């Protein structure tokens, strides 16, 4: 079973639109998508049949001019309502379509720190909002009496949600493979270690769980931007990120195709 794992990363999510363009061109389609934070939003659109062109347009429809005029800073009070308006538009655009690919949206339950996921037609605007509820920027979202936030500060890629369903050929797209700043990366590692200690349950799959799974990663070799840029949307930046995603995905898949061809040629000799 093919699985597509989409990480979080705020405005860096435009990079995943560029990756999806190449996957569409190559005819690669997942049987199951798992996403967290902005990856859940992209995954929602893809699971409802979004083409590469539609996903690109979804990102370019962000009100970049309004964002550019907003006061920049860590607490982007003007950006939060704009983000919610954009998220509502995404749900209206794609939510009425039938699901063509299974989707699991990963959430972090508070205060238990348990990772959970919503699946299939159950996924709603509230689930996407919860998965995007970055601590310190957005309030937790209450669902069926429980509070949920963005699991991104702890979880890099939502792999277990795929492995649990039987995926054995997984492609991951990690927007934060190289963190915007080393201190933030260190803080994430510490937070994940503390969560694992408290829960007695590893956040990431163990080597035993990954055995027998073909895993490939598409990620930029450098940070996609500075520490503030995951929270800053501009049209120019979006176009640059889409192009980076397209280039990295193309290089990865073409290298794999070349390796397969070399092995086939060697076998014929």
């Amino acid at each position: 079973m093919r699985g597509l794992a989409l990480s979080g990363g705020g405005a860096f999510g435009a990079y995943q639109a560029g990756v999806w363009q190449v996957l569409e061109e190559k005819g690669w389609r997942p049987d199951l998508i798992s996403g967290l934070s902005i990856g859940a939003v992209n995954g929602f659109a893809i699971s409802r049949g979004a083409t590469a062109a539609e996903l690109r347009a979804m990102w370019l429809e962000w009100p970049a001019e309004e964002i550019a005029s907003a006061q920049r800073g860590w607490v982007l009070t003007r950006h939060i309502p704009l983000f919610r308006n954009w998220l509502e538009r995404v749900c209206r655009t794609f939510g009425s379509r039938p699901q063509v690919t299974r989707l699991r949206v990963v959430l972090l339950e508070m205060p238990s720190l348990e990772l959970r996921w919503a699946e299939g037609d159950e996924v709603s605007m509230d689930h996407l909002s919860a998965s995007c509820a970055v601590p310190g920027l957005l309030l937790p979202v209450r669902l069926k009496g429980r509070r949920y936030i963005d699991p991104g500060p702890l979880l890099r890629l939502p792999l277990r949600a795929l492995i649990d369903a039987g995926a054995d050929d997984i492609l991951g797209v990690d927007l934060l493979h190289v963190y915007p700043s080393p201190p933030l990366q260190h803080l994430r590692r510490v937070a994940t270690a503390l969560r694992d200690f408290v829960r007695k349950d590893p956040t990431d799959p163990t080597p035993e769980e990954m055995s027998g799974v073909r895993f490939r990663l598409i990620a930029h070799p450098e940070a996609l931007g500075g520490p503030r840029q995951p929270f800053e949307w501009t049209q120019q930046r979006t176009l640059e990120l889409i192009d980076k995603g397209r280039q990295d995905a193309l290089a990865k898949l073409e290298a794999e195709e070349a390796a397969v061809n070399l092995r086939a040629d060697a076998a014929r000799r």
Side-chain angles (χ1 to χ4, degrees):
M1 178 192 293
R2 283 180 170 177
L4 177 63
L6 301 174
S7 82
F12 294 162
Y15 178 94
Q16 292 172 346
V19 173
W20 184 241
Q21 178 183 342
V22 174
L23 296 181
E24 183 180 87
E25 291 169 356
K26 297 289 185 181
W28 193 95
R29 291 204 64 89
D31 301 299
L32 175 64
I33 303 168
S34 67
L36 63 88
S37 196
I38 203 65
V41 179
N42 284 330
F44 178 80
I46 294 169
S47 75
R48 301 284 175 154
T51 64
E54 288 176 318
L55 200 62
R56 176 188 175 93
M58 182 184 97
W59 275 94
L60 291 175
E61 285 172 0
W62 185 269
E65 293 75 16
E66 293 182 57
I67 289 294
S69 66
Q71 181 178 0
R72 296 182 181 274
W74 281 109
V75 183
L76 307 178
T77 53
R78 278 196 62 189
H79 294 210
I80 292 171
L82 287 171
F83 173 75
R84 289 194 61 84
N85 290 342
W86 178 76
L87 190 55
E88 288 173 359
R89 187 163 66 242
V90 170
C91 290
R92 284 196 307 270
T93 301
F94 299 103
S96 60
R97 299 184 184 183
Q99 191 175 79
V100 298
T101 306
R102 288 175 63 194
L103 171 68
R104 284 184 167 179
V105 170
V106 182
L107 314 166
L108 182 65
E109 183 183 309
M110 295 298 289
S112 68
L113 298 178
E114 185 168 355
L115 290 166
R116 298 185 181 274
W117 48 75
E119 185 172 2
D121 291 332
E122 174 190 7
V123 176
S124 66
M125 166 75 180
D126 287 339
H127 292 97
L128 296 180
S129 296
S131 193
C132 291
V134 180
L137 284 179
L138 295 168
L139 294 174
V141 175
R142 187 173 291 274
L143 297 166
K144 297 181 180 179
R146 299 177 184 270
R147 291 180 300 154
Y148 296 93
I149 64 171
D150 182 349
L154 298 176
L155 184 63
R156 191 178 139 217
L157 278 170
L159 299 177
R160 184 168 281 134
L162 298 174
I163 295 170
D164 176 79
D168 54 8
D169 181 5
I170 297 176
L171 183 64
V173 186
D174 190 357
L175 304 174
L176 298 173
H177 179 63
V178 179
Y179 240 60
S181 75
L184 286 176
Q185 188 168 28
H186 177 70
L187 184 62
R188 182 189 213 176
R189 288 172 179 162
V190 171
T192 301
L194 286 173
R195 186 261 174 198
D196 291 355
F197 176 78
V198 170
R199 290 284 313 174
K200 309 300 181 186
D201 174 36
T203 300
D204 294 308
T206 64
E208 291 76 18
E209 290 176 290
M210 292 297 292
S211 65
V213 175
R214 182 192 184 203
F215 174 68
R216 294 167 293 160
L217 178 68
I218 295 176
H220 199 60
E222 301 174 348
L224 289 172
R228 297 190 180 198
Q229 287 185 309
F231 307 101
E232 297 174 356
W233 277 259
T234 67
Q235 191 170 79
Q236 179 181 352
R237 185 85 183 112
T238 296
L239 288 169
E240 291 171 356
L241 288 164
I242 291 172
D243 189 57
K244 285 181 179 179
R246 186 187 63 80
Q247 291 183 28
D248 290 345
L250 193 60
K252 178 74 172 182
L253 296 186
E254 287 186 343
E256 288 183 354
E257 290 171 1
V260 169
N261 291 335
L262 282 174
R263 288 195 295 269
D265 290 342
R268 285 194 294 267
R269 289 173 187 158

